[in-house]
Amino acid sequence: MGLLSNYSPTFKEEKAISFLSKFVKDKLNFDQVVIDEVGNLIASYGRGRRSIALIGHIDTVQGYIPVKIDNDFIWGRGAVDAKGPLASAFIGASNARDYVEDVLKVFAIALVGEEGSSHGAWNLVKKGVRFDHVVICEPSAGTGVVVEYRGSLLVKVECSSKPGHTATRGLTSACNKLINYLMYVSSNTDINEYIPTVVKLMCGEAFNVIPKSGYAYISLRLPLGTKPDEVIKIMELNLPNNCKLDVKSYVEPVRVSLNSPIVRSVIRSLIKLGLKPRLVRKLGTSDMNIVYSRVSNDVVAYGPGDSKLSHTDEERIGIEDLVLGARVYESIIKEIVKLT
């Protein structure tokens, strides 16, 4: 509840990080708790030569939701994405302490910035941090084993036109150009494969002037094997005159081996707890896209919570789901110990 009450949209995570840091130091069984230069909280214990990290994010999207408990569900912004999985991960890692002894070093990490530029994850990369095994703590309904995320491509379409009085005939405004282009994008079956979503649209200067400029940001999701240049070529077809398209960001897709040690450890943990594992391939992205191969070559994503509630005004997570998630995270660490 306290973690949710500390509202923490991207770039405003300090209070939530401070709360989590105090909680971990006072209540959980870690040897070290540090906050790095960008605001990530990193807790650890163990002296083994091999390592495992449970990595979640503490930032949320904008939009505060009153925190409450109702019918065994905890409501609040971030309950699902991803403070719920994060809390379960820290508790699960702490509970595995007595089993680990000296054979493994365990990390629980709360990253900042995942809902934005992922500067928390990129800071791990910048510092050359490496782990043998990583679990990305994202909602997967408690039984999903996420082995694939699509990549993301963000483009900006900017249009211009001659200004004029709104009573003037024959002038095509920048707004009309944008609207026509966005209608083309929404109706193009080749582009629809990449789930184009307009996330920002701005146009016009005054109510009595034909708009001379406007722009739209479009988010696209790219499956494995798709090159961004291929998508840009399709997007540039039927681009109106005096309009241009620029790539603002790109994150490559990721897919991990089903036979990797961490994937098998998650599957075995779920089975031992009487659950039926499901392999999941997500259309979105996560810090797994960044962490895989750069921070670890053995990565999977797993967590409690219904991802359909992420970013909605109905965001909530079951208390029993949180408890089960902690048990699964604890079991994953124990399975890695057996492999070690």
Side-chain angles (χ1 to χ4, degrees):
M1 294 287 286
L3 194 56
L4 292 178
S5 297
N6 284 276
Y7 178 53
S8 56
T10 307
F11 297 116
K12 296 181 180 179
E13 303 99 336
E14 294 89 349
K15 289 183 178 180
I17 285 288
S18 178
F19 173 86
L20 181 59
S21 176
K22 186 177 186 307
F23 179 85
V24 173
K25 291 176 181 178
D26 293 346
K27 304 292 185 181
L28 300 184
N29 201 7
F30 289 87
D31 289 336
Q32 290 186 317
V33 182
V34 299
I35 299 174
D36 71 11
E37 51 273 274
V38 300
N40 297 324
L41 187 146
I42 303 172
S44 63
Y45 66 78
R47 293 178 296 276
R49 288 188 295 175
R50 298 189 66 79
S51 60
I52 182 172
L54 308 184
I55 302 178
H57 67 92
I58 201 164
D59 68 312
T60 70
V61 296
Q62 294 279 350
Y64 180 76
I65 298 174
V67 178
K68 64 179 180 179
I69 296 179
D70 184 27
N71 292 327
D72 295 325
F73 281 87
I74 302 176
W75 291 65
R77 176 61 71 210
V80 172
D81 192 7
K83 291 182 177 180
L86 183 68
S88 290
F90 270 82
I91 292 170
S94 177
N95 290 344
R97 174 73 186 256
D98 292 340
Y99 189 88
V100 169
E101 297 180 350
D102 294 331
V103 298
L104 191 67
K105 189 156 189 178
V106 176
F107 293 81
I109 301 176
L111 295 180
V112 297
E114 194 270 353
E115 299 291 1
S117 60
S118 286
H119 53 281
W122 282 114
N123 196 58
L124 298 182
V125 176
K126 178 182 176 182
K127 294 172 64 175
V129 173
R130 295 289 299 183
F131 302 113
D132 294 297
H133 315 281
V134 167
V135 180
I136 299 296
C137 306
E138 289 281 343
S140 62
T143 58
V145 184
V146 185
V147 296
E148 181 177 336
Y149 281 94
R150 283 199 177 192
S152 66
L153 179 66
L154 182 67
V155 300
K156 181 182 181 182
V157 181
E158 194 167 6
C159 294
S160 61
S161 60
K162 291 182 179 180
H165 196 284
T166 52
T168 304
R169 295 181 183 274
L171 291 181
T172 301
S173 76
C175 287
N176 284 344
K177 290 181 180 181
L178 273 175
I179 292 169
N180 290 337
Y181 178 71
L182 295 176
M183 290 178 65
Y184 157 73
V185 168
S186 66
S187 63
N188 186 296
T189 54
D190 291 332
I191 298 176
N192 278 333
E193 178 184 352
Y194 307 118
I195 319 175
T197 305
V198 179
V199 293
K200 189 172 185 179
L201 178 62
M202 297 290 289
C203 192
E205 297 81 30
F207 292 123
N208 59 351
V209 178
I210 293 177
K212 64 179 180 180
S213 64
Y215 64 86
Y217 282 87
I218 305 174
S219 170
L220 302 110
R221 302 294 178 170
L222 277 56
L224 199 73
T226 302
K227 296 180 179 180
D229 290 348
E230 299 172 355
V231 180
I232 294 302
K233 285 182 180 179
I234 300 174
M235 295 286 289
E236 287 178 336
L237 295 175
N238 286 352
L239 194 65
N241 292 332
N242 297 315
C243 293
K244 63 179 182 178
L245 189 150
D246 293 319
V247 175
K248 306 308 291 184
S249 67
Y250 169 65
V251 176
E252 65 268 27
V254 60
R255 179 188 296 166
V256 300
S257 170
L258 305 185
N259 293 317
S260 70
I262 196 65
V263 171
R264 288 186 282 116
S265 295
V266 176
I267 291 173
R268 282 198 297 267
S269 295
L270 291 170
I271 291 173
K272 286 183 177 180
L273 289 169
L275 303 172
K276 185 177 181 180
R278 301 173 296 108
L279 293 177
V280 177
R281 294 173 172 83
K282 288 201 172 186
L283 298 177
T285 59
S286 76
D287 279 337
M288 179 167 158
N289 297 68
I290 297 167
V291 167
Y292 181 64
S293 79
R294 296 182 177 94
V295 173
S296 176
N297 292 325
D298 191 28
V299 183
V300 72
Y302 166 82
D306 183 355
S307 60
K308 296 186 186 69
L309 299 175
S310 299
H311 301 190
T312 73
D313 292 338
E314 304 296 317
E315 194 168 1
R316 63 193 183 277
I317 192 167
I319 296 174
E320 290 185 1
D321 295 332
L322 291 172
V323 173
L324 180 60
R327 293 177 63 198
V328 174
Y329 287 126
E330 177 184 356
S331 179
I332 292 169
I333 294 171
K334 291 179 179 179
E335 289 295 328
I336 290 296
V337 168
K338 292 177 183 178
L339 291 177
T340 304

